[in-house]
Amino acid sequence: MPDLFTPFDLGDLTLPNRIVMAPMTRNRAPDNVPTELMAEYYRQRATAGLIISEGAAISPQAIGYPGVPGIYSEAQVAGWKRVTDAVHDAGGRMFIQLWHVGRISHPDLQPDGAPPVAPSALRPAGEAMTFEGPKPFVTPRALEIGEIPQIVDQYRQAAVNAKQAGFDGVEIHAANGYLLDQFLRDGTNRRTDAYGGSVENRFRLLGEVVEAVKHIWPEHRIGVRLSPENRFNDIADSNPQVTFEEIVTRLSAITSGYLHVLEGDMTGQSEPAVDYARVRAAYHGPYMVNNGYDLARATDAIASGYADLVSFGRPFIANPDLVERFRRGAPLNEPDEATFYGGGAEGYTDYPFLE
Ligand code: PHB
């Protein structure tokens, strides 16, 4: 029976273990350019079977928070190259998460102070994080149908840039209430054109993005992240079970890279109601699970054959040597939430390794 320490092949890329570092926003990229400190942070965590980077904005319009890295400029590509070199020198593998926040932004963060874009002009409840602190979200501008090819092309170009920056693959972020998820779920997508209405139409943008990225990377180097019932960022679907079984079936027909599913609701507003075994059964490729897994639950998920890979977020913040700690059954350092977002080395590169 496989366990967390059994190697796993993503096509021609062999992961030495099934323990994946989940994508996590840390807001330590001033001017949206990756730094040497970020290279050190990821290098420390290179014993992960796979590292998935924090979300990287595919365009200036894709940015939703101060200090998040991008992957659209030459300086960003050069910055990421130092990160991937550090990870590779330490024996690791790293994908970059391609991110567009859609309506989860603010004019303060947008080019020319424009409103953020979204499938429909529906204002999210809550506050955006700006340079001057939290400010209420504004009503986004609904994308014109004629603008959509440009967004798809920004994902394609970001995938090209990711290759230049030395990544081993890309993860398309279609979860957590950001742009692609805003198209997928009917609470945020009220379009009446080919990109709204039926699940087939709501899936169209994600399908086009996957197809565009497939021109740049082989399928096994492309992951997709979904979060069927996460309420984070004020998003919801009227029937997540039906919606996401169909989305995953459609995804399964066009790609065979890993599917990364955040189970349940990060916000704790709703009890898990989706039968994930059915979501899993709808996908023919590698399956990665996430959200609150510990060593025991992760081991069960792999041993039972439910999942191929498990990603860990908070445990990787506080334990650069998480793989070795799991191997030894050693105690874990606890993460300090006060240093999750922004700042410098404190709470970032100063968590202790085992002796
Ligand atoms: C966050 O900044 O808290 C965050 C960013 C991206 C996600 C989820 C959470 O997908």
Side-chain angles (χ1 to χ4, degrees), residues 41-58:
Y41 164 74
Y42 285 114
R43 187 196 62 76
Q44 289 179 342
R45 288 155 180 80
T47 52
L50 178 68
I51 295 173
I52 304 167
S53 81
E54 62 205 285
I58 61 163

Side-chain angles (χ1 to χ4, degrees), residues 115-150:
V117 297
S120 302
L122 296 167
R123 185 171 61 86
E127 294 177 319
M129 188 49 67
T130 77
F131 292 100
E132 295 162 5
K135 293 187 183 179
F137 283 121
V138 301
T139 301
R141 179 176 68 79
L143 283 163
E144 308 274 349
I145 193 164
E147 290 177 280
I148 290 182
Q150 192 185 319

Side-chain angles (χ1 to χ4, degrees), residues 25 27 65 97 99 173 175-176 178 225 232 266 341:
T25 293
N27 307 78
Y65 307 87
Q97 194 192 51
W99 194 22
H173 191 354
N176 300 345
Y178 297 108
R225 192 173 209 212
F232 185 64
M266 275 164 50
Y341 301 110

Side-chain angles (χ1 to χ4, degrees), residues 187-206:
T188 38
N189 183 343
R190 303 284 169 76
R191 299 179 74 92
T192 54
D193 61 13
Y195 292 87
S198 62
V199 180
E200 177 181 12
N201 282 355
R202 283 185 271 143
F203 174 75
R204 192 174 310 282
L205 177 57
L206 175 56

